[in-house]
Amino acid sequence: MPRLAVYALIVCVLALAAAVVSFVQGSVPMGVVWVLLTGVSSNMCWYYLKRGRDARRSSTTTG
């Protein structure tokens, strides 16, 4: 798993936990911000996973 994908996954999990805490405490606007950050970091994680997988495929087929 590429390192940047791992970092993005960690940010995603932490942002999700922060969103849950915000909603439980009654801070809906801050919870929405955390949910949006969760979505962005999730997309980054998928992007880096796909980019790493594609790089491995191209290196094995050309080599």
Side-chain angles (χ1 to χ4, degrees), residues 17-63:
V20 168
V21 169
S22 294
F23 283 125
V24 167
Q25 290 181 348
S27 177
V28 174
M30 197 64 194
V32 169
V33 170
W34 285 115
V35 167
L36 292 174
L37 182 63
T38 301
V40 169
S41 61
S42 170
N43 287 342
M44 288 175 59
C45 181
W46 282 115
Y47 170 76
Y48 287 122
L49 281 174
K50 185 178 180 325
R51 189 174 120 184
R53 185 179 62 226
D54 290 344
R56 273 195 316 257
R57 284 184 183 164
S58 67
S59 68
T60 58
T61 58
T62 59

Side-chain angles (χ1 to χ4, degrees), residues 6-28:
V6 173
Y7 291 155
L9 182 63
I10 291 169
V11 170
C12 182
V13 169
L14 291 175
L16 182 62
V20 168
V21 169
S22 294
F23 283 125
V24 167
Q25 290 181 348
S27 177
V28 174

